[in-house]
Amino acid sequence: MWTNWKKTQVLPFSCVSYTATNLDFTSHLTGLIRNAMWEEHLKASKTSMHVDTVHESLSQASGDGYFEMGLDEGEHGSGCTVSSDATAESCEEAGEELIQIKKVFWVYCIQVNKDLSQFASCVVLTDNLLAVFQIPHQELTGNRQSVTGNMENVLTVPFIEIEAVGFDVPETCLSLKLKTSDTYWYFLSDSQNLKEIYSCLNMFNSAVKNSSSAQEFINQLLESHQLTDGDTVVKGAFAAHLLNLAEVAPCNQQIHSFPTDSSSEAKNSPYSDILSFTWQSETHQDPVYVPCLLFLTPSQLCIMKVDFVALTKKAKTLEEKRWVELIQIPLASVLLHPKQGCSSSTQPAGAFRDGHVLELMTRLKFVTAVFVLPHDKFLFLSLFSQLRASLQDVKTIAFFKVKKCHGSIKSCPLSPTMTRRTLKSSPQGLQRPHLTLSLLYPSDPLIQKLTDENQCPFHLSVSPSLHFLTGLKGNDLVEFFYNSVAEVENEEIKHLLWSSVVFYKAPDVEITACIMLSTKAVYFVLHDSAAQLGDQSLVWDWKPSDHEKRDFLHSYCFTIKLNDLQSVNVGLFDQYFRVAGPSADHIISCLTRDSYSTHAFIQQLMSVLSFLAKTPSPEPVEQDFYTEFGNKSTGKMENYELVHSSRVKFIYPSEEEIGDLTYIVAEKMGDLANLHAYNILLYVLAFQVCRSKSTTSEGQHLLHPKTLILTGSDLFLFDEDYVSYPLPDFAKEPPKRDKYRLTDARRIRDLDRVLMGYQTYPQALTFVFDDLESPDLLCNLTMDHFASEFNTSGMKTRTGSVDKEVQWCIFVPGSDSREKLISLLARQWELLCSRELPLELTG
């Protein structure tokens, strides 16, 4: 955490309470302005008197033909006395002029001439004067009296002496140029202050630059930099120093100076492009960090780096040199440091850190943002959290393996002094949200329930972050949710489920997810492969150092707010469920492959939705004859659809869906005339186990998702689209593939035996079929019976002169589904073959 406030220029909180309505402060400013005018008059009078003295001496020398030192000295001394008296009189007259302060603005000033300097400043506007006061840097953390009492005047000028004023960066950076100087002044403040300054100076100066909006300026930069536009509505603008503490804290060996033609090393670095420029001042030994401008849009963090020296040269020479760089970073990949705000202090360094410093994670590194304006840190945090929570995309989350120091109130209590100071320094309405007592101290039964539910099935692939999550128990699991996942204020985690998920936009990809259900949202903490879904693979495709490997983990999360939830479709035999929101981004199927897990989640979801029960719908409009009498209730749940009090629809499989599936099976078998023979006894989501052919993963097995269907006479394996059906309301065309695609079918009477055990894959079932040709069996797969032991389709074949065998190695994750499959299959085999099904246990 950056705590060295002495090396970073900011505008302190203690200044902003002084306004033009404070009579004591305006009286103090009036005195400073009068002193500045007196000094200016004195300087001008001395210069004028010196010129007159030189002219008089030259005149006497030319008239007398000789030069007397004593006489000249006496005249010179007499002239000085007269000059001082005259100057005092003129300055006294000037001081008697009425100075009425109209406006007072606190801004961050960057002054560019031959050198670049920057400082916190106070801009004062009177009826006809502009005055700029500098706050000494060593006073930035002092009390209000010391800060305002030591202000130094650096500019006092009549409005008529201003040559040009305008927005070089609209609504964010205001520039000013005087007629009598080559110095350029750049003011950074909030848009309202800058607009007021601009408006006041515009009344007295005709040479005012045209000002566009920040939105237009950003759009022009995006076009010129050939960057993606997307949703670029500017929601907020902030000025901040962006630092890399790894480079800044130990030493200043690496300096990201203003770009030159030789800065190839900086260009090649994937990280240096987002850090602040530095300027080596002639008057300071240490380099000066020049603030960047941060723009928040609904989906992007735009970092604008302004080269103020190049901007000044452009204004002087009209040379079209690029003076601004724009970097776009997806907001989904920007997040707060997991240990943000771990410690607090009432010392000056602590006050500086709490009010101005924010640690972010973006691109590949930690970036420390030092906000130069008061309140900007809190405004940025509030807007950033709001925009990030509203993102309808896969987002990055981060956490440390070590316990976060301020995970709970008990671990890091704040002192009363710190609490009062934080609340006073925060803008109204932006206090940090507080959890209720029940959320801070969840009940022991709830903690134990979540711990029991945090059991990831062994067949699911987990990334390092998910593996770490599976090891969390008790309060650590609850704290992980609140610190790294939760986005809504005062929400309570109620249920946890491990499952595979399939997104509507990627129906062919199964991703392991830890599903966390709270009272406000459903959170999907995803496997690292989810980076492909959110276009973040390039952002986070990196190999952290050993230290980062030990402490830091990152993962991905997708959120569906319960207020956005519209419907829940429960799959056949409760093998999966699909949650759907208002768009394609909000449609996700959860493949539990276990009826108990599906039932438990649906019950918990209904329970939390009851807390969000919406007001009743208004009375329907008068219906016509066909509407009123054509849809009569039959006493049964129409289409097996239950409308919850929260208006979320829970849609269960109907008899028609079972009939449609029966028809599809009969059609695939080419036996529609004998439809009743294909009544479905069991539908289960399973995996077909295949041996990997890769040399690097020799001996490992691959799991291919399959839908296994048992009828009275046959076993079927299908590839199924679990997420595209039923079609959502916004779908304009059917999906590219059918819901069911037959991959293999076998008669139950051809089943020779069933192998159970761990020989091939833990808890897998191996069905051994006699591969007999039958005219009434349609198998549209080309089988190679002379292939290796396991072919690509996962079927083990055995050839010989007498018989041929085909083996299905099937893994059914749900224990109840597995037992039901064996029981029903054994019963049907016994009915067809008049003897018991041979079951063999393997080692």
Side-chain angles (χ1 to χ4, degrees), residues 8 49 71 76 78 87 98 116 132 162 194 295 371 384 399 401 422 498 588 592 594 606 633 638 721 824 828:
T8 311
M49 196 62 201
L71 180 62
H76 180 72
S78 176
T87 302
L98 180 61
L116 182 146
V132 180
I162 298 177
L194 296 182
F295 294 90
F371 291 88
F384 172 80
F399 46 91
K401 295 181 181 179
T422 304
W498 285 90
I588 303 177
T592 62
D594 177 43
M606 287 185 175
S633 175
E638 185 177 2
D721 188 338
L824 291 175
Q828 292 304 116

Side-chain angles (χ1 to χ4, degrees), residues 305-449:
K305 300 168 63 176
V306 180
D307 185 346
F308 289 97
V309 175
L311 177 59
T312 302
K313 293 179 180 179
K314 174 180 177 294
K316 290 180 180 179
T317 62
L318 299 179
E319 178 185 356
E320 289 297 331
K321 181 181 178 181
R322 176 168 290 187
W323 53 271
V324 62
E325 292 184 15
L326 186 67
I327 300 100
Q328 267 188 318
I329 302 176
L331 204 59
S333 64
V334 181
L335 59 158
L336 300 179
H337 194 295
K339 288 189 176 182
Q340 179 68 38
C342 269
S343 60
S344 300
S345 173
T346 57
Q347 300 301 318
F352 170 79
R353 179 193 61 223
D354 294 337
H356 294 274
V357 180
L358 184 66
E359 284 202 271
L360 302 171
M361 293 178 58
T362 180
R363 290 285 181 93
L364 314 179
K365 299 284 185 178
F366 295 113
V367 179
T368 299
V370 182
F371 291 88
V372 300
L373 300 178
H375 304 313
D376 263 13
K377 172 185 174 180
F378 305 103
L379 294 171
F380 179 90
L381 269 175
S382 176
L383 183 59
F384 172 80
S385 301
Q386 177 185 349
L387 293 176
R388 186 172 160 86
S390 62
L391 279 176
Q392 300 179 3
D393 197 1
V394 175
K395 290 170 280 192
T396 307
I397 61 173
F399 46 91
F400 276 83
K401 295 181 181 179
V402 295
K403 188 174 182 180
K404 189 175 179 181
C405 67
H406 71 298
S408 64
I409 296 296
K410 296 181 292 185
S411 60
C412 188
L414 297 180
S415 65
T417 305
M418 175 61 195
T419 305
R420 289 195 298 270
R421 182 179 57 76
T422 304
L423 293 180
K424 288 181 181 179
S425 61
S426 301
Q428 184 178 4
L430 290 179
Q431 285 84 3
R432 185 179 179 86
H434 298 282
L435 298 176
T436 61
L437 188 63
S438 62
L439 302 184
L440 288 173
Y441 304 98
S443 63
D444 291 338
L446 175 61
I447 294 179
Q448 184 59 46
K449 171 180 173 294

Side-chain angles (χ1 to χ4, degrees), residues 508-528:
D508 297 326
V509 181
E510 279 195 33
I511 302 175
T512 303
C514 176
I515 306 172
M516 294 182 168
L517 173 64
S518 78
T519 53
K520 301 294 179 66
V522 183
Y523 298 95
F524 300 84
V525 183
L526 303 169
H527 188 275
D528 289 350

Side-chain angles (χ1 to χ4, degrees), residues 216-236:
E216 295 173 350
F217 186 73
I218 292 293
N219 292 339
Q220 293 173 3
L221 286 178
L222 291 174
E223 183 178 355
S224 63
H225 285 70
Q226 297 182 350
L227 297 174
T228 175
D229 48 4
D231 191 356
T232 57
V233 179
V234 176
K235 297 295 185 179

Side-chain angles (χ1 to χ4, degrees), residues 432-477:
R432 185 179 179 86
H434 298 282
L435 298 176
T436 61
L437 188 63
S438 62
L439 302 184
L440 288 173
Y441 304 98
S443 63
D444 291 338
L446 175 61
I447 294 179
Q448 184 59 46
K449 171 180 173 294
L450 295 174
T451 301
D452 295 339
E453 292 168 349
N454 190 26
Q455 305 292 332
C456 181
F458 72 91
H459 67 276
L460 295 181
S461 173
V462 294
S463 57
S465 56
L466 293 184
H467 177 72
F468 170 77
L469 178 55
T470 59
L472 296 179
K473 307 295 180 183
N475 287 321
D476 291 341
L477 180 61

Side-chain angles (χ1 to χ4, degrees), residues 394-395 397 466 485 497 499-503 511-517 521-527 530 555-561 565 577-579 585-590 601:
V394 175
K395 290 170 280 192
I397 61 173
L466 293 184
V485 179
L497 170 67
S499 172
S500 298
V501 297
V502 179
F503 284 76
I511 302 175
T512 303
C514 176
I515 306 172
M516 294 182 168
L517 173 64
V522 183
Y523 298 95
F524 300 84
V525 183
L526 303 169
H527 188 275
S555 189
Y556 301 92
C557 182
F558 187 84
T559 307
I560 298 181
K561 302 294 191 300
L565 189 62
F577 62 92
R578 187 185 78 172
V579 292
D585 295 320
H586 292 84
I587 299 181
I588 303 177
S589 283
C590 305
F601 184 87

